[in-house]
Structure formats: C-alpha cells, structure tokens
C-alpha cells in the first residue's frame, strides 16, 4: 500500500486541525490544570468529538462505528498531539475498543463497541501492576465461585481510570491470564486518582473481593495472554501518531523561534551549533512520519508485522519526542523554562507518553525478542 | 606535599574542629535537608528560620566567621587558609552538618567586593554578608540580553549626587524577598557595548523598584522580573571603576559557573534504582538502565577527579580560566542526564505531579534541571568559549 493519504483522509486531517485549534488549543489544557478540573478533559469538546464521529472511526459499522480505519484515526491523533488536547480517545476508544474487538464475544462486541463509539461509555484497561510497563506480569487473581469470579489485586497507571464506567482488568485464573469487564462502581473496587505531570490522569485501582458474574469474562474461556499485546500494539501505534503530532509542533515552534529571537544583533538561527541540531531533528522526525504511517496501515491490514512495527514506532517516537522537547527548551533559552511559554507543556507530555504502553527500553528489548536475538 | 609542621597543625585543627562541631551542631542540623537549599537559612533583613536549632547553628557558625571560612577576619570572615577550610568542609560532611547560611552574597557578590570594593564597601557589605544580614539577588539578564549579556539596556544616568536608574531585569532570583540587588547597568550609551557597563548596588526598598514573579515549568516561582523606574541610587553604591563593570561581571560569572559545576546527589542514583527496580543475583533488574547508570556514575567520578586536579593546579599557580566553562558545561549536562535516568528508572511512578511540589518532586526536579544548561550562561555559550579561548579556533 502506498504510504500516502487518500483524499478523504486528508480532509479529515485538515478539519481535525481546524477544530482543535479553535476548540482545544494549549490554553485549554492550561485552564484545565489551573482550575484543577477533576474530569481532566473538556466534556463539551469531547461531546463535539463524538458528534464528529471520532469515537467510531476505528469501530466496524456492524458495531455502530464508521469503519473508517486506523490510518484515518491516526490523522486525528496526530492533530491532537499538536494541541495536546485531552480526551479519553486513547484510553477508551483505542485501547478499550481494541481489547473488546480482539477478545470479546459477538454479544459483548455489539454492546460495548457501540457504547464506546457513541460515547455513552468510557471503557479503560487496567493491565500494569508495576512501575515499569509489563502487561504479562499479572498477580491479580480471579477465583472461580459458583456464579462467577472474585477478583483481588492492585493495578497501576490506569489511564482515565477516575472517569471510566467500565474497567477491563487482567487477572490470573486457572486457565492463565484473562480479562474481566467490571463496572467502576462495583463494591470492593477503589480508584485512587493521580495527577500526572502532563496534567492528565492515571489511577491506581485496587480490587478487594470484587465479585463479578461469569458474563464479566471478556471473550470465551481461553487465555488472553496472546491477544493483550496485540491490543496494546494498536494502542502503541495510535499513541505514536499522537506523539508524531507533538514532535512536529514542538519542532516547528522551535524553528520559528530560531528565526525570530535576536542575540548579538542576529537571529540565533544563524549559529551553526543550532542549525545542525535542528537539521538532525528534521531527519529524525521524517523517520517517524514514515514509520507511523506504515504502522497505522499494518493495523488496517492486520499485518503479521504488527508487533514489530508497533515496537519500532513507539520506541522511535519516544526517543525523538524526548530529543525534540529537550532541544526545544534549550533553544528557547530561559523563556522556555517559564510556565507562560507553552513549549514546556510538550516536554511534560513527552515524558508521560514515553512511559505509556512501554518506554523505548521496553520496546528495544521486545524488538530484539521478536527478531530472535 | 606538605611540610611536617603544616601537617601537624592541620591535624590539630581537624581535631579541634571535629570536637567543636560535635558539641555545637544541633541534631536537626545534622540531617540532609529534604528540600535541599530551600531548607537552608538565607539571611536577610527579615530573617526567617525554619527552626530554633537552625537559628542556634547559624549564630554559632557566624560568631566564628565560618559562614565564610576563608574571608579575612578584618571583615568578619573566618580567616582560614584554603587547607583549613577544606578540613572544615570535610568534617562538616562527616557529621552531615547543614550549611549554616546559603546566599548569593556568599557565593557571588562577596568575592567581587573583596576584589574590587573600596575599604568602606568591604567593611559594610562583607560584614553584612558574613552575618547574613542582607539578602542579595543578581540583576544581570534582561529580556533582550541573555547570551548577549553585554547588550544590556538598563541605564544609570549620572545626576551629580546620584544615579538615575531605568530599565528591566529578568531572572532575578528571589527578588521578591531580597533586600539588595547587584546590577549591571549602562553608564555610557555611546561607548562600545562592553565598555559602557558599570556594577551598581541597589536597595530594593527604594522608590521605583518593583518585582513580578516568574513561574517556572516545575511549578515554582523563585525568579522575578524586576523593574526600575526613575530609581535614585547613591553614588557610593558603584563598585569598581565607572564603565568597567564588565570585568567584574566576568569575574563573578566564573564564580557562578564553578559553583554550578558541582553535582550534588541527595541519594546516589544507583541506590534509587535498586529501590525502584530491585536486584536479581546482585544485578539491577534492568540491564539497560544498569549500563546507563554505570556509565553515568563513571562520568560523574571522572568529572570530580578532573575538578580536583584543577583545584590542585590552581594552588600551585595555574589559573583555571576558561576551564570553568568546561566544568559548567559538563556538569549541567551530567545533571540533566541523571534526572532523565531517574525518570526512566522510576517509570510510571515518576510521572506523578500532584498538587504540592513534594508530591511530584522527581518530575518537577527533572523539569528544573533543564535550566542547568541555560542559567549562568548556556551550554552553547560555554562551548563557544572553549572553542575560542582554549582551542584557539578561528571565529568570525
Ligand atoms: C532558572 C534560571 C535561572 C537564572 N538565574 C539568573 C540570575 O540569577 N541572574 C541573571 O542575571 N540571570 C539568570 N538567568 C538568565 C540566564 O543567564 C539566561 O537565561 C541565559 O544567559 C540565556 O539567555 P536567554 O534566556 O536570553 O537565551 P538566548 O540568549 O536567547 O538563547 C537562546 C538559545 O540560543 C543559543 N545561543 C545564543 N547565542 C548563541 C551563540 N552565539 N552560539 C550558539 N548558540 C547561541 C542559546 O545557547 C540558547 O540555546 C537564569 C535563567 C534561568 C532559566
């Protein structure tokens, strides 16, 4: 498949860019932070995103979505990365959606996916238990009872856990690791909201004798250990698309500053010590563009290379976004260190995105394993 | 090599010092301050002590002149030789004693006054600094003059019995709590830019001085913008010769760069890593971070031997000169790397920001380290100095 956008995808990207600039610029994120907004995103803007169909792009028509595909969704995410707009798109639509889609039964899919697509429900995943991403280290236990299961354990870093209606939790059962869909107001389930450095939220969630019916089990009676990484790969690629948007925006702002800021009677962009670093960043960002496009297509085509592409995209985008945001602050000089200047928001977002679904170290290691070395 | 008698004297000094510290340093002042320098006593006209023991400790050290151990006794300093001062430092470190007073006056202004000030200025200002009576801030940078500091525009006009000061400074640390500011001001508009600058001391209480805090990306606001509108500054507040302030500024920057040069760790990085990741068969349970931390630690050790070597060379007469740029550059980059590694080791735990600084200390400190390579002259400027002055590379 050619690594270019079709007309429809281009239009979608342009309209997303216009909408986000207008409705969710970085000032909005600042406002959410300064007003200590408990929700963590603008519900009005979220409602508008739902109305524009953003929550159904990746969901098949038969389940109430638009079936537009991930390349299209990726374009929106890239624009979201540019304005750092907060929403449960990644946590619920992408990861929650992918888990249900890949593992759920027909009945579960038709209920949950349509609820996700129409925005009635926020479904987030509780997979990690340690401070380093490692989704297959699961100590949470689901013990079988007469009518269902009892769940006990602790989960960390559950994205948007504080506002989720349903939580998909991984737990160990007799047949391996399985997933359960649990209403967040269940008895014994407690959510500890944590404010992160990018002013978004991830929660620690503990399960203390949470009883669920057998129907809470996602999918049929089988080990989910194989499908969890696949759903995560979809989320990794989508997050990479978002990171790609952030790195381009931070980079473009930096280039503009190099042209504008005067010292020693000249624009600082004249200094070759800065020029070469800017040119180097350009090369790195171009690499990310190609990678992200290929990885998004791999989801739509259900490519056998999905895992490797997901790890490559996430590792590379993590590395480059870190580089670009660090260099941005340095090249802005003292102004970059002030909260009034927006460039710092990109640095903070970069750190959270880096750790979400595995940092580059995790993905270098995974790439090597997948490649047999 | 030291002569035998000097060595005996030093050993005696060490014993006396240890005994004195043991007797006089209160228990709470023998602990690592949780917020670092912020927990230290900063002095000033409106003194604020965090605790009674902090006050006692400060006063005892002050009375010995040990807030400024090597400064002359004539102005209230400790009058110690560099060797004795080193012993005092070592013994304080052994007992984990906190610094009794931490201020810009001690670090930066004092050395400049001792070098360039008049006898009256030394009697007044050095004594005040040693006694922690005045809180000083630094007024160099301006919005349009950062790396190109010499282009500064804040003007001081000679009005016969006073200077009339107008302009704006930025990045004045704690200006909202400072009593006095040492400033670079333009006193000759027509001279080439380095030649028309003077070094002026300005009381922050004077009419026409106002400040506005700057919030940093870490969430803290220890810096300000400072505005001067028709501020009348007495003539005797000029330090050094009129229009020759630039050489004082440069001298002072060397002090600042050397003091930024030291990487201090509240907890060694590898210990934090062990706490977060654990050991398996005696190895950090993360091969990638293990190697990176080892590499980082080696660079840290190498830097400290390199600094020690330069200090020893300085004692035998070789001036460090432009080498302070190497220390400034390397140590600030090293400190930034340290915090990136800590973030990597801390994983998702390290992302917490919370409402209070201490809730998200690591993430916020990491953000703050990004300024290490900007404050006191950027890394690029240090590299320019190394290229030009040490390597003698041609420049335009
Ligand atoms: C936390 C913090 C504390 C500070 N504390 C003080 C203080 O107490 N007192 C005070 O007076 N100042 C202070 N400063 C100001 C500091 O000294 C300046 O920020 C610094 O000198 C850089 O100037 P600038 O911010 O104007 O950046 P600019 O000079 O605009 O630089 C922007 C970028 O261009 C690069 N650049 C500029 N010139 C060149 C060149 N010739 N070659 C290559 N690259 C170049 C810089 O390295 C930087 O990356 C502080 C700054 C910070 C961030």
């Amino acid at each position: 498949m050619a690594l270019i956008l079709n007309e429809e995808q281009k239009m979608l990207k342009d309209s997303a860019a216009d909408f986000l600039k207008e409705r969710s610029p970085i000032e909005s994120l600042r406002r959410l932070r300064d007003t200590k907004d408990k929700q963590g995103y603008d519900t009005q803007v979220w409602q508008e995103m739902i109305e524009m169909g953003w929550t159904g792009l990746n969901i098949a028509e038969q389940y109430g979505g638009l079936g537009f595909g991930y390349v299209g969704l990726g374009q929106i995410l890239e624009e979201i990365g540019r304005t750092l707009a907060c929403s449960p798109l990644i946590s619920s639509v992408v990861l929650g959606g992918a888990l249900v889609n890949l593992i759920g039964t027909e009945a579960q899919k038709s209920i949950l996916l349509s609820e996700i697509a129409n925005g009635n429900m926020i479904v987030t995943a509780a997979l990690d238990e340690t401070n380093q991403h490692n989704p297959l280290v699961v100590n949470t236990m689901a013990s079988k009872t007469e009518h269902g299961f009892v769940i006990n354990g602790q989960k960390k870093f559950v994205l948007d856990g504080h506002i989720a209606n349903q939580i998909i939790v991984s737990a160990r059962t007799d047949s391996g690791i399985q997933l359960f869909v649990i209403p967040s107001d269940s008895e014994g389930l407690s959510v500890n909201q944590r404010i992160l450095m990018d002013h978004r939220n991830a929660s620690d969630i503990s399960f203390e004798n949470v009883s669920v019916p057998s129907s809470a089990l996602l999918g049929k009676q089988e080990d989910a250990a194989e499908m969890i990484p696949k759903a995560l790969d979809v989320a990794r690629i989508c997050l990479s698309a978002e990171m790609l948007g952030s790195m381009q925006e931070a980079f473009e702002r930096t280039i503009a500053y190099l042209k504008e800021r005067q010292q020693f009677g000249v624009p600082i962009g004249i200094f070759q010590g800065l020029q070469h670093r800017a040119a180097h960043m350009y090369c790195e960002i171009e690499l990310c563009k190609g990678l992200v496009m290929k990885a998004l297509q791999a989801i739509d085509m259900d490519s056998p290379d999905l895992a490797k592409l997901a790890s490559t995209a996430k590792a590379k985008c993590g590395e480059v976004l870190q580089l670009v945001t660090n260099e941005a602050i340095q090249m802005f000089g003292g102004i970059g260190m002030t909260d009034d200047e927006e460039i710092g928001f990109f640095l903070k977002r970069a750190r959270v995105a880096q750790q979400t679904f595995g940092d580059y170290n995790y993905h270098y290691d995974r790439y090597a394993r997948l490649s047999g070395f | 090599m030291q002569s035998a008698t000097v060595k005996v004297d030093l050993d005696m000094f060490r014993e006396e010092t240890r005994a004195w510290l043991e007797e006089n340093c209160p228990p709470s002042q023998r602990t690592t301050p949780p917020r670092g320098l912020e927990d230290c006593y900063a002095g000033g006209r409106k003194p604020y002590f965090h605790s009674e023991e902090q006050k006692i400790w400060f006063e005892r050290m002050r009375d010995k002149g040990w807030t400024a151990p090597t400064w002359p006794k004539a102005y209230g300093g400790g009058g110690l030789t560099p060797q004795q001062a080193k012993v005092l430092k070592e013994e304080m470190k052994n007992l984990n004693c906190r610094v009794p007073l931490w201020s810009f006056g001690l670090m930066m202004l004092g050395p400049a006054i001792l070098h360039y000030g008049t006898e009256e200025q030394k009697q007044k200002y050095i004594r005040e600094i040693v006694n922690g009576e005045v809180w000083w801030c630094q007024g160099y940078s301006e919005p349009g003059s950062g790396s190109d500091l010499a282009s500064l525009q804040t003007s001081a006009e000679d009005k016969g019995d006073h200077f009339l000061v107008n302009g704006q400074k930025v990045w004045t640390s704690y200006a909202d709590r400072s009593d006095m500011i040492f400033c670079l001001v333009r006193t000759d508009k027509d001279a080439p830019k380095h030649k028309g600058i003077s070094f002026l001391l300005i009381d922050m209480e004077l009419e026409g001085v106002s400040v506005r805090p700057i919030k940093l990306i870490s969430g803290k606001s220890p810096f300000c913008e400072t505005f001067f509108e028709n501020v009348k500054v007495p003539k005797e507040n000029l330090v050094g010769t009129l229009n020759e302030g630039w050489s004082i500024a440069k001298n002072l920057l060397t002090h600042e760069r050397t003091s930024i040069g030291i990487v201090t760790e509240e907890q060694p990085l590898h210990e934090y890593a062990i706490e977060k990741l654990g050991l398996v068969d005696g190895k950090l349970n993360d091969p990638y971070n293990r190697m990176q931390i080892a590499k980082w630690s080696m660079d840290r050790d190498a830097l400290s031997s390199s600094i020690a070597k330069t200090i020893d060379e300085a004692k035998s007469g070789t001036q460090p000169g432009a080498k302070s740029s190497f220390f400034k550059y390397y140590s600030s980059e090293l400190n930034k790397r340290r915090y990136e590694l800590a973030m990597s080791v801390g994983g998702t735990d390290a992302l917490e920001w919370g409402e209070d600084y201490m809730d998200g200390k690591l993430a916020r400190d990491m953000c703050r380290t990004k300024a290490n390579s900007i404050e006191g002259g950027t890394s690029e400027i240090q590299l320019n100095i190394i290229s030009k002055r040490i390597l003698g590379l041609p420049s335009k």
Side-chain angles (χ1 to χ4, degrees), chain B residues 340-357:
Chain B
E340 291 288 359
L341 283 170
M343 291 296 289
S344 172
V345 163
T348 54
D349 286 355
L351 302 173
E352 181 138 5
W353 193 257
E355 307 253 331
D356 181 67
Y357 199 96

CSV table of all heavy atoms in Angstrom, one decimal, chain B residues 340-357:
chain,number,residue,atom,x,y,z
B,340,GLU,N,17.1,12.3,33.7
B,340,GLU,CA,16.5,11.5,32.7
B,340,GLU,C,16.5,10.1,33.1
B,340,GLU,O,15.6,9.3,32.9
B,340,GLU,CB,17.2,11.7,31.3
B,340,GLU,CG,17.0,13.1,30.7
B,340,GLU,CD,15.5,13.4,30.2
B,340,GLU,OE1,14.7,12.5,30.3
B,340,GLU,OE2,15.3,14.5,29.7
B,341,LEU,N,17.7,9.7,33.6
B,341,LEU,CA,17.8,8.3,34.0
B,341,LEU,C,16.9,8.0,35.2
B,341,LEU,O,16.3,6.9,35.3
B,341,LEU,CB,19.3,8.0,34.4
B,341,LEU,CG,20.2,7.8,33.2
B,341,LEU,CD1,21.7,7.7,33.7
B,341,LEU,CD2,19.9,6.5,32.5
B,342,ALA,N,16.8,8.9,36.1
B,342,ALA,CA,15.9,8.7,37.3
B,342,ALA,C,14.5,8.5,36.8
B,342,ALA,O,13.7,7.7,37.3
B,342,ALA,CB,16.1,9.8,38.3
B,343,MET,N,14.1,9.3,35.8
B,343,MET,CA,12.7,9.2,35.3
B,343,MET,C,12.5,7.8,34.6
B,343,MET,O,11.5,7.2,34.8
B,343,MET,CB,12.5,10.3,34.2
B,343,MET,CG,12.4,11.7,34.8
B,343,MET,SD,11.0,12.0,35.9
B,343,MET,CE,9.6,12.0,34.8
B,344,SER,N,13.6,7.4,33.9
B,344,SER,CA,13.5,6.1,33.3
B,344,SER,C,13.3,5.0,34.3
B,344,SER,O,12.5,4.1,34.2
B,344,SER,CB,14.7,5.9,32.4
B,344,SER,OG,14.8,4.6,31.9
B,345,VAL,N,14.1,5.0,35.4
B,345,VAL,CA,14.1,4.0,36.4
B,345,VAL,C,12.7,4.1,37.2
B,345,VAL,O,12.1,3.1,37.5
B,345,VAL,CB,15.3,4.3,37.4
B,345,VAL,CG1,15.0,3.6,38.7
B,345,VAL,CG2,16.6,3.9,36.7
B,346,GLY,N,12.3,5.3,37.4
B,346,GLY,CA,11.0,5.5,38.2
B,346,GLY,C,9.8,5.0,37.4
B,346,GLY,O,8.8,4.8,38.0
B,347,GLY,N,9.9,5.0,36.1
B,347,GLY,CA,8.8,4.5,35.2
B,347,GLY,C,7.5,5.4,35.5
B,347,GLY,O,7.6,6.6,35.7
B,348,THR,N,6.4,4.7,35.6
B,348,THR,CA,5.2,5.5,35.7
B,348,THR,C,5.1,6.1,37.1
B,348,THR,O,4.4,7.2,37.2
B,348,THR,CB,3.9,4.6,35.4
B,348,THR,OG1,4.0,3.5,36.3
B,348,THR,CG2,3.9,4.1,34.0
B,349,ASP,N,5.7,5.6,38.1
B,349,ASP,CA,5.7,6.3,39.4
B,349,ASP,C,6.3,7.7,39.4
B,349,ASP,O,5.9,8.5,40.1
B,349,ASP,CB,6.6,5.5,40.4
B,349,ASP,CG,5.9,4.2,40.8
B,349,ASP,OD1,4.7,4.0,40.4
B,349,ASP,OD2,6.5,3.4,41.6
B,350,ALA,N,7.2,7.9,38.5
B,350,ALA,CA,8.0,9.1,38.4
B,350,ALA,C,7.1,10.2,37.7
B,350,ALA,O,7.6,11.4,37.7
B,350,ALA,CB,9.3,9.0,37.7
B,351,LEU,N,6.0,9.8,37.2
B,351,LEU,CA,5.2,10.8,36.4
B,351,LEU,C,4.3,11.6,37.3
B,351,LEU,O,3.7,12.6,36.8
B,351,LEU,CB,4.4,10.1,35.3
B,351,LEU,CG,5.2,9.3,34.3
B,351,LEU,CD1,4.3,8.5,33.4
B,351,LEU,CD2,6.1,10.2,33.5
B,352,GLU,N,4.2,11.3,38.5
B,352,GLU,CA,3.2,11.9,39.4
B,352,GLU,C,3.6,13.4,39.6
B,352,GLU,O,4.8,13.7,39.8
B,352,GLU,CB,3.2,11.2,40.8
B,352,GLU,CG,2.2,11.9,41.7
B,352,GLU,CD,1.5,10.8,42.5
B,352,GLU,OE1,1.8,9.6,42.4
B,352,GLU,OE2,0.5,11.2,43.2
B,353,TRP,N,2.6,14.3,39.5
B,353,TRP,CA,2.9,15.7,39.6
B,353,TRP,C,2.2,16.2,40.9
B,353,TRP,O,2.8,16.9,41.7
B,353,TRP,CB,2.3,16.4,38.4
B,353,TRP,CG,2.7,17.8,38.3
B,353,TRP,CD1,1.9,18.9,38.6
B,353,TRP,CD2,3.9,18.4,37.8
B,353,TRP,NE1,2.6,20.1,38.3
B,353,TRP,CE2,3.8,19.8,37.8
B,353,TRP,CE3,5.1,17.7,37.3
B,353,TRP,CZ2,4.9,20.6,37.3
B,353,TRP,CZ3,6.1,18.6,36.9
B,353,TRP,CH2,6.0,20.0,36.9
B,354,GLY,N,1.0,15.8,41.1
B,354,GLY,CA,0.3,16.1,42.4
B,354,GLY,C,0.0,17.6,42.5
B,354,GLY,O,0.2,18.4,41.6
B,355,GLU,N,-0.4,18.0,43.7
B,355,GLU,CA,-0.8,19.4,43.9
B,355,GLU,C,0.4,20.2,44.5
B,355,GLU,O,0.6,21.3,44.3
B,355,GLU,CB,-1.9,19.5,44.9
B,355,GLU,CG,-3.1,18.6,44.5
B,355,GLU,CD,-4.3,19.5,44.0
B,355,GLU,OE1,-4.4,20.6,44.5
B,355,GLU,OE2,-5.0,19.0,43.2
B,356,ASP,N,1.2,19.4,45.3
B,356,ASP,CA,2.3,20.1,46.0
B,356,ASP,C,3.6,19.6,45.4
B,356,ASP,O,3.7,18.5,44.8
B,356,ASP,CB,2.2,19.6,47.5
B,356,ASP,CG,3.3,20.2,48.3
B,356,ASP,OD1,3.3,21.5,48.5
B,356,ASP,OD2,4.3,19.5,48.7
B,357,TYR,N,4.6,20.5,45.5
B,357,TYR,CA,5.9,20.2,44.9
B,357,TYR,C,6.4,18.8,45.4
B,357,TYR,O,6.9,18.1,44.6
B,357,TYR,CB,7.0,21.3,45.3
B,357,TYR,CG,8.2,21.3,44.4
B,357,TYR,CD1,8.2,22.1,43.3
B,357,TYR,CD2,9.2,20.4,44.6
B,357,TYR,CE1,9.3,22.1,42.4
B,357,TYR,CE2,10.3,20.4,43.7
B,357,TYR,CZ,10.4,21.3,42.6
B,357,TYR,OH,11.4,21.2,41.8
